[in-house]
Amino acid sequence: MQILSWVSKFLLLSFFLDVVSPLSLAQTISPLQTSVCSEADRVALLGFKERIVKDTTDILSSWIGRDCCGGDWEGVQCNPATGRVTGLVLQGSARESGIYMRGTLSPALGSLAFLEVMVISGMKHIAGPIPESFSGLTRLAQLVLEDNSLEGNIPPGLGRLPSLSTLSLNGNHLRGQIPPSLGNFKKLQQLSLARNLLSDILGHFQNLTFIDLSNNQLSGLLPASLFSLVKLQDLSLDHNQLAGRIPNQIAGLKSLTRLSLSSNGLTGQIPASISSLQNLWYLNLSRNGFSDPLPVIQGRGLPSLLSVDLSNNHLSLGTVPGWIKDRELSDVHLAGCKLQGNLPKFTRPDSLSSLDLSDNLLTGGIAGFFTNMSNLQKLKLSNNQLKFDLSEIKLPDGISSIELQSNQLSGLLSRILNNRTSSFLEVLDVSGNQISGTIPEFVEGLSLKALIIGSNKITGQFPGSISNLKELERIDISRNHITGTIPTTLGLLSNLQWLDLSINSLTGKIPASLLGITNLRHANFRANRLCGEIPQGRPYNIFPAGAYAHNLCLCGKPLPLCRTKK
């Protein structure tokens, strides 16, 4: 899936390079002429700066002096021949919570008459409405206001922007209907309104190549007009409240390469006409109410398909259909499809990168299952009825995520967790089985972020070498038979967020060294034989009392205070 994601990003980047005019590109890299910026444009920019009450990005601190086109005003791009502002690109970091701008968008930006590109994204705390004055930016080709806190409706006046080719308002708090006036766009190719609270859908944009309306509140049927967009390549409507069937007219989307309709209320059968989509490589129809039978896809049907997800519908497949099993696919996700019997034998196992067959009724066939799966990175076989010894499997060397929880696995934990464990492995979940043995010593160099081995028959002590798993974010060893003390070295795991040691036979104190884990959000020490004072510092002294219940003699907040010796 990582490969496919990079393909998508590459296509998106290529598009942006295409839609930005050669003149605009020249303006960003060729400071050969120096015209002082227009006073009207400088005033408009300062109007925006005035509305920002806090700027931890420190971008706006560079907006000083009279020449906004001299190269010192960060994020401002100008036409060097005219001194008019043509681009405003202010990008924050979605991952770093402390980097933001707080304030509102100033209507003054609507007076930047020569603006071609406006990107104000990732600022998190820019709130308020999108100014109606933006409808006067007649030269605007790209309007990107992603990952802020913008509110209210999408201004209908944006439909009067004749040059607009990209409109992206993802990740805000916009609500209401998508204005019908947006159907006036003649040049619009990319429309991204995901992660808002919008409640309508349109299909009147004949030049669109990209639509992302995922994570909204869209309801009703899929409009027939949507399937007349012959240039559309990417359609994402997942995580909404859409209902009804996929119409046969979906065959009209002849350019479609990516279709995501997951997590809606769609029902009925998946139409056979979907097989005529010659360019489709990504198909995600998971988490709906689709029913049997699946369409029979033969010959040259879906020749470009690389990724398919039909998980968690009302399908009773029994076995993996031949058009999936015998095809060279990268991702196969068929969770909750009532698959039965042995694990399937794929004709091209070497092409698989991600495989999800969880929540089915599979019972066996593990011997040789991973043979030739040399590119497998993510595996989910959880919640089946698989019964085998861990010694029977040899996992692919490059695998990064293994989820085998809630089966009937037996054998020693050291069979899959040892000094030969792949350094690529980040997630291991074998909880809810019958695995025995001890927790092995951990060597340096592993990349494990989640170690989930709860509800097994594991014995022995919790090794101090756990501190070698420096990337670890989640540990669950609950409901086993682990003895000894909690290693003090556990406190060295600075990235740890989840710790569950409950229902074992651990003794001694909860080490004060655990106060060094400042990111911990959940901890459970319940039902052990622990004694002594709970570390008196956040978050341990504010976790619920139930996290420490049924131990030998723990005391201190949130439990009753410890008795002092006289």
Side-chain angles (χ1 to χ4, degrees):
M1 194 61 207
Q2 283 181 318
I3 296 174
L4 303 183
S5 175
W6 277 108
V7 171
S8 177
K9 290 178 181 177
F10 173 77
L11 293 174
L12 183 60
L13 176 62
S14 300
F15 167 78
F16 272 94
L17 291 177
D18 287 341
V19 300
V20 177
S21 68
L23 176 60
S24 297
L25 288 175
Q27 292 161 8
T28 64
I29 62 176
S30 179
L32 298 179
Q33 301 177 5
T34 56
S35 292
V36 176
C37 77
S38 159
E39 178 63 16
D41 290 356
R42 189 181 76 90
V43 170
L45 292 172
L46 291 177
F48 168 76
K49 181 178 180 180
E50 185 179 356
R51 290 288 190 98
I52 302 300
V53 297
K54 189 171 184 179
D55 174 24
T56 67
T57 70
D58 209 31
I59 292 174
L60 300 183
S61 65
S62 68
W63 288 18
I64 56 177
R66 302 203 62 82
D67 188 6
C68 62
C69 292
D72 294 330
W73 287 41
E74 187 175 347
V76 178
Q77 303 165 359
C78 298
N79 183 326
T82 64
R84 302 307 300 258
V85 174
T86 59
L88 178 61
V89 180
L90 308 176
Q91 294 178 292
S93 172
R95 294 183 178 180
E96 297 184 37
S97 59
I99 305 298
Y100 61 86
M101 289 184 184
R102 187 183 301 278
T104 58
L105 291 178
S106 172
L109 291 178
S111 62
L112 294 172
F114 289 83
L115 197 67
E116 298 175 14
V117 176
M118 183 191 294
V119 178
I120 303 175
S121 65
M123 295 305 176
K124 304 177 188 65
H125 301 299
I126 293 182
I130 299 172
E132 289 281 357
S133 63
F134 284 12
S135 61
L137 298 171
T138 56
R139 289 178 170 82
L140 200 64
Q142 299 177 40
L143 178 58
V144 180
L145 303 174
E146 297 178 346
D147 297 313
N148 294 296
S149 296
L150 298 173
E151 304 157 327
N153 298 324
I154 298 175
L158 293 184
R160 298 196 295 269
L161 299 178
S163 302
L164 202 65
S165 59
T166 298
L167 175 61
S168 182
L169 306 176
N170 293 344
N172 285 287
H173 305 308
L174 300 169
R175 60 177 63 247
Q177 295 188 346
I178 301 171
S181 62
L182 296 192
N184 299 333
F185 289 126
K186 302 300 182 185
K187 297 183 179 180
L188 192 66
Q189 298 181 36
Q190 298 211 19
L191 177 64
S192 300
L193 305 176
R195 294 178 285 118
N196 281 287
L197 302 168
L198 301 169
S199 57
D200 195 11
I201 184 172
L202 294 176
H204 305 293
F205 307 96
Q206 292 303 313
N207 291 315
L208 275 179
T209 62
F210 180 98
I211 296 178
D212 186 355
L213 301 177
S214 59
N215 292 278
N216 277 289
Q217 298 177 358
L218 307 178
S219 59
L221 306 179
L222 292 168
S225 57
L226 188 66
F227 302 104
S228 64
L229 303 178
V230 295
K231 297 181 181 179
L232 191 63
Q233 297 176 20
D234 193 314
L235 176 60
S236 297
L237 300 174
D238 51 276
H239 293 85
N240 280 289
Q241 300 162 23
L242 299 170
R245 296 170 176 259
I246 298 177
N248 288 325
Q249 291 91 325
I250 194 170
L253 299 177
K254 298 184 182 301
S255 301
L256 201 64
T257 62
R258 191 178 186 278
L259 176 62
S260 180
L261 301 176
S262 66
S263 299
N264 279 286
L266 300 170
T267 56
Q269 297 174 7
I270 299 169
S273 59
I274 205 168
S275 65
S276 66
L277 300 176
Q278 298 292 299
N279 299 306
L280 193 70
W281 60 263
Y282 179 87
L283 175 63
N284 189 344
L285 304 179
S286 64
R287 299 185 182 279
N288 281 285
F290 294 117
S291 55
D292 298 320
L294 281 183
V296 177
I297 298 177
Q298 298 177 335
R300 294 295 298 165
L302 295 175
S304 303
L305 195 64
L306 293 175
S307 176
V308 60
D309 191 344
L310 305 178
S311 301
N312 300 304
N313 281 284
H314 296 158
L315 299 172
S316 299
L317 299 184
T319 58
V320 177
W323 64 271
I324 295 177
K325 181 170 60 71
D326 299 331
R327 196 181 291 258
E328 187 176 352
L329 298 177
S330 173
D331 305 320
V332 174
H333 295 175
L334 298 174
C337 288
K338 292 185 172 62
L339 299 173
Q340 301 177 9
N342 286 338
L343 292 163
K345 298 295 184 183
F346 291 93
T347 303
R348 292 296 307 271
D350 57 316
S351 68
L352 287 171
S353 172
S354 178
L355 178 62
D356 185 357
L357 302 178
S358 58
D359 301 303
N360 282 294
L361 303 170
L362 298 168
T363 56
I366 196 67
F369 179 68
F370 297 107
T371 302
N372 297 324
M373 288 191 182
S374 54
N375 292 306
L376 191 66
Q377 296 178 27
K378 296 184 178 181
L379 172 69
K380 291 185 179 181
L381 297 178
S382 55
N383 293 294
N384 277 283
Q385 299 171 13
L386 295 169
K387 189 174 184 178
F388 60 86
D389 190 287
L390 293 178
S391 63
E392 298 180 50
I393 62 174
K394 185 182 185 303
L395 295 167
D397 292 337
I399 199 161
S400 63
S401 179
I402 303 169
E403 297 185 26
L404 299 173
Q405 68 267 31
S406 299
N407 281 284
Q408 300 175 40
L409 311 186
S410 59
L412 302 178
L413 180 63
S414 58
R415 291 288 188 177
I416 56 172
L417 198 58
N418 50 53
N419 57 10
R420 297 184 301 279
T421 299
S422 169
S423 60
F424 296 102
L425 186 63
E426 295 183 352
V427 176
L428 176 63
D429 189 345
V430 292
S431 59
N433 284 287
Q434 300 170 24
I435 296 171
S436 58
T438 61
I439 302 176
E441 296 289 340
F442 298 102
V443 297
E444 292 184 351
L446 294 179
S447 302
L448 267 178
K449 294 182 178 179
L451 176 61
I452 307 171
I453 57 175
S455 299
N456 279 289
K457 298 180 178 180
I458 298 170
T459 59
Q461 298 190 354
F462 193 5
S465 58
I466 189 72
S467 60
N468 286 329
L469 302 181
K470 301 184 186 304
E471 304 297 322
L472 209 55
E473 298 174 1
R474 184 180 182 119
I475 301 174
D476 184 350
I477 64 170
S478 64
R479 298 178 183 272
N480 280 289
H481 308 291
I482 297 170
T483 58
T485 59
I486 300 173
T488 58
T489 53
L490 190 61
L492 298 174
L493 298 178
S494 58
N495 294 319
L496 201 63
Q497 300 178 26
W498 182 286
L499 174 64
D500 194 341
L501 310 181
S502 63
I503 314 181
N504 280 287
S505 299
L506 294 167
T507 57
K509 292 184 175 183
I510 299 175
S513 62
L514 268 58
L515 289 169
I517 310 175
T518 56
N519 294 321
L520 199 64
R521 298 177 182 175
H522 171 90
N524 194 346
F525 302 92
R526 183 173 64 91
N528 280 284
R529 302 180 63 192
L530 298 169
C531 196
E533 186 176 33
I534 295 168
Q536 292 302 290
R538 287 178 177 267
Y540 302 95
N541 58 355
I542 60 171
F543 281 137
Y548 304 99
H550 305 293
N551 273 285
L552 196 60
C553 52
L554 286 177
C555 58
K557 290 183 179 180
L559 298 182
L561 296 178
C562 299
R563 295 181 180 179
T564 57
K565 293 183 179 180
K566 294 183 178 179

